[in-house]
Amino acid sequence: MRPPRGYRSEIDIKLSPDPAGPYAGAMPTIYEVASLAGVSPATVSRVINGLPVSGAYAERVRAAATKLNFTPNPTARRLRRRSSQVLALIIPTIENPFFTSLARGVEDVAQGAGYSLVLCDSDERHDKESTYLDVALAEHMAGVVLVPATNHPRLARLLERRTPVVSVDRSIRGTEVDSVLLDNREVARSATERLYARGFRRVGCITGPRETETAQQRADGWREVFSRHHPRTDPERYLRHADFRVAGGRDAMASLLTTRRRPDAVVVTNNSMTVGALETLQRERISPAEMGLACLGDLPYSVLQRAGVEVLPLPARSLGAAAARLLLDRIGGAEGPAQRIVLPIGGGPAIPDR
Amino acid sequence: MRPPRGYRSEIDIKLSPDPAGPYAGAMPTIYEVASLAGVSPATVSRVINGLPVSGAYAERVRAAATKLNFTPNPTARRLRRRSSQVLALIIPTIENPFFTSLARGVEDVAQGAGYSLVLCDSDERHDKESTYLDVALAEHMAGVVLVPATNHPRLARLLERRTPVVSVDRSIRGTEVDSVLLDNREVARSATERLYARGFRRVGCITGPRETETAQQRADGWREVFSRHHPRTDPERYLRHADFRVAGGRDAMASLLTTRRRPDAVVVTNNSMTVGALETLQRERISPAEMGLACLGDLPYSVLQRAGVEVLPLPARSLGAAAARLLLDRIGGAEGPAQRIVLPIGGGPAIPDR
DNA sequence: ATGAAAGCGCTAACAT
DNA sequence: ATGTTAGCGCTTTCAT
């Protein structure tokens, strides 16, 4: 029998939670609740956790807990249970609205299920991502939603410990984890076709890094349509790889403008690069009629109708929500091979993205 | 003497970290490191924490720790120390780039000092904010950076436990906490003056909710300049209160357009409402020459030079960084009355905001 | 159904 | 300088 801080025997009458006591600010523990209710700490624990306890006891414990303003200490709980009610979400950058939307989707689902969410910004860097995965491991997080910064994230230790991981937006080579993806090829195809339908004659493409899956797939979609329209032209002449950032889009557009027989429209495969591309067009005073533009993904803080930019919204929020649901299923013990969900793009998500 | 999992007496020869053992995925503990190094757990703890240990021992412990891939369990540590290396940042919405920029500022400083950051989205709601504050308390966070959703956040319990709190961007009525603010009045004044300088004759204003401090201060700045130009006009006729969101800006601009002797320019006091205002102008086909616009804060995903919008950047990132520094000072034990830092707006922050 | 007690992994007296 | 040990607050056998 140990004498924990604040423990009171049944004889002790002074039961008030002396608010200005020597340990002002200390949270009450189950021991204090137990002695106030006249039961054992174990019984308090059972009540908190919804295990079978006789009605009378349960009531007394609840009353005591309320009176003392008791909240179970999550740290102690986590140490003992070796698990927590916390999910990690690792995104490549918090400053791209696509990922903040995705985060909202994850958060909606997580919160609805009683989990809290820790948001981590990997800054598109393998080392930071790795660090956060270690944190998730060390902190005994219940699961991880990951937008991988590379296609070989260090998941080994996490998976060894059977912590569920779901990858979103980008897939992971080799490792068997659930993933929620977009039909990138289809969305790029559709964007390209719209520009041709609007009457443009030669549609170029600005996509992301060569080694990035989404960048490749989107380029593939564009290439397919382009080659149909220009069977004799090498599509690579009209394709630029940038880095998915504003500056990259700016430079890539500048480069396309100097191409011999330059394109009269461009598909830009993400929101940030579109902003850059527009900046270049503006600087060169090239009107929307001279150079058409399609953007994959929303530009939430832009007002672009006037500029005639063809925007193809991507269901970022749904992506996050679907990933979170998949993760919660696994946490709940769902077995079976890794799932691979591809979200429809045109179909309109149940949860609107803005 | 207890026999912890994985504990090995000095006699035990089998010292390899059997990777596929019965507890696959279990993290090594200081006990395992201790026995591998042939020292006591306390010594391991001392080495980890940089307390004085003889060179030879320290070396052996480090070798053992490396070999076992040991990481101290943060949960156990937190339980024991009653404190953690984690900061909370509570923002009203992750979907406004102003706050994500601010978050980057906090993160930069936090990470530099070895703290991790938990980002929470209060959704501008008092109840969610309150919940996150409770989480911060229960999780023994080292400190909280708060963009208050209301001017009376529930800080009592946190402060009772002497957890440092810094408010950013908005101040807190009554409570004595450090705060980092902008000179909202000045920035609004400056925006208004620019529009008059550009030749507009009657500059209206769209600001945030009546009860919000920043909304009031910005409106005050506008009112001051407006009244100087129109001493006989009631400024309230040219002021609209909205909710700092896109839809609010849209409606407020629509309302201003129907005003008798309507304004020929408008100061909009945040980025989101500016987007809404622009949408209305576009729909009504009102050109930038007919209706001037100034926006308080960056519009990172917009390309607005063409639209002639006067953008006044706000040092969001610096705001976050300054708040984090203040917080770390307090965590480090800095005493003294609550500080109130007002960041210069025009002066150009040391850390650029994009 | 309830209680006693061990122990999650670590740190901090205290003893040596 | 190093080791022993109690205990942070909780959950969970194991008895009763």
Side-chain angles (χ1 to χ4, degrees):
Chain A
M1 176 58 149
R2 62 171 174 181
R5 168 182 66 75
Y7 194 90
R8 295 183 179 101
S9 73
E10 276 91 335
I11 308 162
D12 192 340
I13 304 297
K14 182 170 154 292
L15 292 173
S16 65
D18 53 346
Y23 283 92
M27 312 275 292
T29 73
I30 50 169
Y31 286 90
E32 285 147 77
V33 176
S35 65
L36 177 55
V39 301
S40 78
T43 301
V44 176
S45 172
R46 289 187 184 109
V47 173
I48 305 168
N49 292 290
L51 296 174
V53 167
S54 84
Y57 272 31
E59 208 34 69
R60 274 161 58 194
V61 168
R62 258 188 286 275
T66 305
K67 180 160 181 187
L68 295 179
N69 221 315
F70 170 81
T71 321
N73 180 324
T75 304
R77 200 173 238 191
R78 191 178 312 167
L79 179 61
R80 182 57 233 229
R81 295 213 268 221
R82 302 155 149 280
S83 80
S84 71
Q85 292 271 95
V86 181
L87 308 181
L89 168 61
I90 306 178
I91 58 178
T93 163
I94 196 188
E95 296 192 280
N96 187 326
F98 176 79
F99 295 116
T100 55
S101 250
L102 192 152
R104 287 298 298 239
V106 174
E107 174 150 0
D108 290 345
V109 174
Q111 198 148 55
Y115 283 79
S116 35
L117 183 67
V118 171
L119 189 63
C120 315
D121 186 336
S122 71
D123 208 10
E124 214 59 275
R125 281 171 47 181
H126 190 65
D127 59 332
K128 282 199 184 181
E129 176 181 272
S130 223
T131 303
Y132 283 123
L133 290 170
D134 286 346
V135 170
L137 186 77
E139 296 277 3
H140 287 286
M141 305 231 180
V144 178
V145 177
L146 175 67
V147 179
T150 67
N151 53 16
H152 48 87
R154 300 207 166 289
L155 296 179
R157 304 178 64 196
L158 224 39
L159 295 178
E160 231 171 62
R161 251 246 306 272
R162 323 226 55 190
T163 301
V165 176
V166 174
S167 86
V168 211
D169 186 49
R170 310 173 183 176
S171 69
I172 294 175
R173 210 192 34 148
T175 327
E176 276 298 289
V177 304
D178 295 322
S179 49
V180 183
L181 306 166
L182 294 174
D183 190 340
N184 288 305
R185 196 180 167 113
E186 170 55 28
V187 78
R189 201 156 36 198
S190 151
T192 314
E193 264 159 4
R194 278 201 211 180
L195 287 172
Y196 280 110
R198 270 182 38 194
F200 293 104
R201 313 299 303 268
R202 203 176 299 111
V203 178
C205 179
I206 297 174
T207 193
R210 246 172 255 284
E211 57 282 8
T212 303
E213 178 190 36
T214 51
Q216 289 163 10
Q217 294 172 336
R218 293 175 186 182
D220 286 348
W222 161 80
R223 206 181 277 109
E224 183 185 326
V225 179
F226 180 91
S227 291
R228 199 185 315 133
H229 282 81
H230 317 280
R232 292 175 220 300
T233 311
D234 177 14
E236 307 311 313
R237 278 190 52 215
Y238 291 97
L239 174 66
R240 294 295 179 278
H241 286 278
D243 61 356
F244 274 144
R245 316 246 272 235
V246 174
R250 203 151 43 204
D251 298 346
M253 178 57 90
S255 158
L256 277 176
L257 290 179
T258 65
T259 313
R260 195 166 46 82
R261 300 195 66 194
R262 78 183 196 194
D264 62 351
V266 176
V267 170
V268 190
T269 64
N270 90 332
N271 51 9
S272 303
M273 294 192 303
T274 302
V275 173
L278 275 164
E279 286 175 8
T280 295
L281 293 180
Q282 237 171 237
R283 204 193 49 215
E284 302 289 328
R285 304 196 183 286
I286 294 174
S287 76
E290 284 173 89
M291 179 66 79
L293 219 54
C295 170
L296 269 48
D298 279 303
L299 284 165
Y301 273 80
S302 294
V303 186
L304 292 171
Q305 292 94 313
R306 172 155 35 182
V309 174
E310 199 65 68
V311 172
L312 287 95
L314 299 175
R317 194 156 181 166
S318 307
L319 216 48
R325 274 190 293 264
L326 215 49
L327 189 69
L328 289 175
D329 285 351
R330 293 294 183 186
I331 291 170
E335 295 291 338
Q339 300 224 38
R340 187 186 168 91
I341 295 180
V342 176
L343 251 50
I345 50 131
I351 305 162
D353 259 41
R354 279 193 64 195
Chain B
M1 176 59 151
R2 62 171 175 182
R5 168 182 65 75
Y7 193 89
R8 295 187 178 95
S9 74
E10 275 92 334
I11 307 161
D12 191 340
I13 303 298
K14 182 172 153 293
L15 292 173
S16 65
D18 54 347
Y23 283 92
M27 311 276 292
T29 73
I30 50 170
Y31 287 90
E32 285 149 76
V33 177
S35 65
L36 177 55
V39 301
S40 78
T43 300
V44 176
S45 172
R46 289 186 186 109
V47 172
I48 304 169
N49 293 290
L51 297 174
V53 167
S54 85
Y57 272 33
E59 208 35 69
R60 273 160 59 193
V61 168
R62 260 188 285 274
T66 306
K67 179 160 182 186
L68 295 179
N69 222 315
F70 170 81
T71 320
N73 180 323
T75 305
R77 198 174 240 189
R78 190 178 311 169
L79 180 60
R80 182 57 231 231
R81 297 215 273 224
R82 302 156 149 281
S83 79
S84 70
Q85 291 274 94
V86 181
L87 308 182
L89 167 62
I90 307 178
I91 59 179
T93 163
I94 196 188
E95 295 192 281
N96 187 326
F98 176 80
F99 295 117
T100 56
S101 250
L102 192 152
R104 286 298 298 239
V106 174
E107 175 151 0
D108 290 345
V109 174
Q111 198 147 55
Y115 283 78
S116 37
L117 183 67
V118 171
L119 188 65
C120 315
D121 185 337
S122 71
D123 208 11
E124 218 49 283
R125 280 171 48 182
H126 189 65
D127 59 332
K128 282 198 183 182
E129 176 182 271
S130 221
T131 302
Y132 283 123
L133 290 171
D134 286 346
V135 170
L137 185 77
E139 296 277 2
H140 288 287
M141 306 235 180
V144 177
V145 177
L146 174 67
V147 179
T150 66
N151 53 16
H152 48 87
R154 299 206 168 291
L155 297 179
R157 303 179 63 198
L158 223 38
L159 296 178
E160 232 170 61
R161 250 241 311 267
R162 325 226 52 189
T163 301
V165 176
V166 174
S167 85
V168 211
D169 186 49
R170 310 173 183 176
S171 69
I172 293 174
R173 212 191 33 147
T175 327
E176 277 299 289
V177 303
D178 295 322
S179 48
V180 183
L181 305 167
L182 294 174
D183 190 342
N184 288 304
R185 194 178 170 117
E186 171 55 27
V187 77
R189 201 156 37 198
S190 149
T192 314
E193 265 158 4
R194 278 201 212 182
L195 287 173
Y196 279 112
R198 270 183 39 195
F200 292 104
R201 314 299 305 266
R202 203 176 301 111
V203 178
C205 178
I206 297 175
T207 193
R210 246 173 254 285
E211 57 283 7
T212 304
E213 178 191 36
T214 51
Q216 288 163 11
Q217 295 171 337
R218 293 173 186 182
D220 286 347
W222 160 82
R223 206 182 275 109
E224 183 185 324
V225 179
F226 180 92
S227 290
R228 199 184 318 130
H229 283 81
H230 317 279
R232 292 174 219 300
T233 312
D234 177 14
E236 307 311 313
R237 277 190 52 215
Y238 291 96
L239 175 66
R240 293 294 180 279
H241 286 278
D243 60 356
F244 274 142
R245 318 246 270 239
V246 174
R250 202 151 44 205
D251 298 347
M253 178 57 89
S255 158
L256 277 176
L257 289 179
T258 65
T259 312
R260 195 166 44 81
R261 302 196 63 197
R262 76 185 198 192
D264 62 352
V266 175
V267 170
V268 190
T269 64
N270 89 332
N271 51 8
S272 302
M273 293 193 304
T274 302
V275 172
L278 275 165
E279 286 176 7
T280 295
L281 293 180
Q282 234 172 237
R283 203 192 51 215
E284 303 289 330
R285 305 194 181 287
I286 294 174
S287 76
E290 285 173 89
M291 178 67 77
L293 220 53
C295 170
L296 269 48
D298 279 304
L299 283 165
Y301 272 80
S302 293
V303 187
L304 291 171
Q305 292 93 313
R306 173 154 38 183
V309 175
E310 199 64 66
V311 171
L312 288 95
L314 299 175
R317 195 157 180 164
S318 306
L319 217 48
R325 274 190 294 264
L326 216 48
L327 189 70
L328 289 175
D329 286 350
R330 292 294 183 186
I331 291 170
E335 295 290 338
Q339 299 225 38
R340 185 187 170 90
I341 294 179
V342 176
L343 250 50
I345 49 132
I351 306 163
D353 260 43
R354 278 191 68 193

